[in-house]
Amino acid sequence: MSIATNIESLQAELKPIGVTLIAVSKTKSNEEIMEAYQAGQRIFGENQVQELVEKQEHLPKDIAWHLIGHLQTNKVKYIAEFVTMIHSVDSLKVLQEINKRAKQHDRIIDCLLQVHIADEEAKFGFDHAELIELLRSEELVELQNIRICGLMGIATNTENQKVIKEEFYELKMLFDGVKASYFRKEDFFSILSMGMSSDYHLAIEKGSNMVRLGSTVFGKRVVKHYKLKDDNNTKS
Ligand SMILES: *Cc1c(COP(=O)(O)O)cnc(C)c1O
């Protein structure tokens, strides 16, 4: 199947049920991205700041770029002018930096808080207690140039569907609780980003409304050097 047919069939599957497709284009060429673009796709996800910046410069300006990978505080400045949504916010510190840079560009940047749901050490994200601490913190109120639009999570990389379903269920429960307690009147707090190529059907079954699909859209990725580095990162 071609990239264009993949986009068309995914959109036909996801749109009617209200699930937004993020086409994850990391390691993919501008030509491949343009094939998806020509098939109507406008939201693309990247996990590396440098790669995102390079692609954004050369591709159509009406693409909505989502950063889905870990974001270091010192790299926020490179994407603050154009990024549409950051899925991978995992500290107050990075949120404050996003706010500061967004303000410099007179923007409000939409963010998701990444929650650590996987049964794996080397994954980023808040645990429950840290998340609640952030949501209660007084510093958060001062951040006028960011908008917390929901939560994001990555399930354990396992064949065991029961484990994956439990993790997605847990994140959905947390999302509902956070919505009810902290964002009851904020309509923008509405996004639950969970599900990748291997598990997006389970994620949707458990309440996801935004899926991040790479290989299902573009085919398998050739593993590049910087990918290995990223996968081995520990929390910073
Ligand atoms: C790479 C990546 C995806 C997409 O992975 P696929 O298995 O190719 O669908 C989704 N989310 C994040 C955070 C990623 O880094």
Side-chain angles (χ1 to χ4, degrees):
M1 287 238 281
S2 71
I3 293 170
T5 14
N6 292 342
I7 290 289
E8 282 155 19
S9 63
L10 281 166
Q11 289 292 9
E13 174 189 356
L14 299 173
K15 259 194 192 148
I17 54 173
V19 176
T20 301
L21 169 64
I22 312 298
V24 176
S25 50
K26 62 190 186 195
T27 79
K28 298 297 170 181
S29 67
N30 291 353
E31 290 70 33
E32 291 169 295
I33 295 172
M34 279 312 292
E35 192 180 334
Y37 179 90
Q38 251 119 35
Q41 182 66 25
R42 288 296 180 273
I43 312 178
F44 291 88
E46 288 284 337
N47 71 333
Q48 294 262 331
V49 166
Q50 196 176 330
E51 194 177 349
L52 171 57
V53 169
E54 272 170 33
K55 286 175 174 170
Q56 187 271 340
E57 280 172 7
H58 294 105
L59 288 162
K61 294 304 169 210
D62 65 338
I63 288 178
W65 291 104
H66 287 216
L67 184 79
I68 60 171
H70 181 64
L71 177 58
Q72 288 171 314
T73 308
N74 61 0
K75 296 208 174 139
V76 173
K77 57 178 177 284
Y78 301 116
I79 58 169
E81 190 173 359
F82 68 86
V83 73
T84 296
M85 181 173 277
I86 299 172
H87 290 229
S88 40
V89 171
D90 62 358
S91 69
L92 175 62
K93 196 169 118 238
V94 79
L95 205 52
Q96 286 169 327
E97 177 69 11
I98 295 167
N99 184 73
K100 176 179 148 193
R101 299 293 176 179
K103 194 168 181 179
Q104 289 174 350
H105 293 287
D106 200 20
R107 302 186 62 208
I108 292 173
I109 297 181
D110 287 344
C111 295
L112 304 179
L113 303 176
Q114 182 171 352
V115 182
H116 185 281
I117 54 170
D119 185 20
E120 290 162 3
E121 269 301 310
K123 285 265 162 68
F124 296 105
F126 294 97
D127 64 30
H128 289 209
E130 292 166 342
L131 185 71
I132 301 308
E133 189 190 329
L134 173 81
L135 292 167
R136 284 189 181 156
S137 73
E138 290 181 4
E139 287 101 324
L140 194 60
V141 187
E142 292 162 23
L143 307 183
Q144 299 292 324
N145 291 73
I146 54 107
R147 227 166 42 150
I148 297 175
C149 296
L151 304 181
M152 180 273 236
I154 303 173
T156 302
N157 185 7
T158 171
E159 300 282 298
N160 188 338
Q161 301 217 340
K162 187 164 168 286
V163 169
I164 299 171
K165 280 192 202 179
E166 280 169 5
E167 290 170 357
F168 285 149
Y169 179 74
E170 174 195 322
L171 186 56
K172 170 70 162 115
M173 289 301 108
L174 187 62
F175 174 86
D176 289 344
V178 167
K179 170 83 187 159
S181 303
Y182 301 96
F183 298 96
R184 202 160 27 93
K185 295 190 188 125
E186 283 85 359
D187 288 342
F188 55 80
F189 188 94
S190 60
I191 297 177
L192 183 52
S193 167
M194 58 183 197
M196 316 185 5
S197 291
S198 58
D199 57 21
Y200 75 98
H201 286 116
L202 301 178
I204 292 169
E205 183 189 313
K206 295 300 171 196
S208 166
N209 56 22
M210 186 173 275
V211 293
R212 310 175 308 270
L213 306 185
S215 32
T216 307
V217 171
F218 293 104
K220 273 211 176 75
R221 278 183 301 278
V222 181
V223 177
K224 290 190 185 170
H225 183 66
Y226 54 72
K227 245 211 99 211
L228 293 171
K229 188 174 128 237
D230 195 50
D231 286 346
N232 293 334
N233 258 343
T234 46
K235 192 158 179 166
S236 68

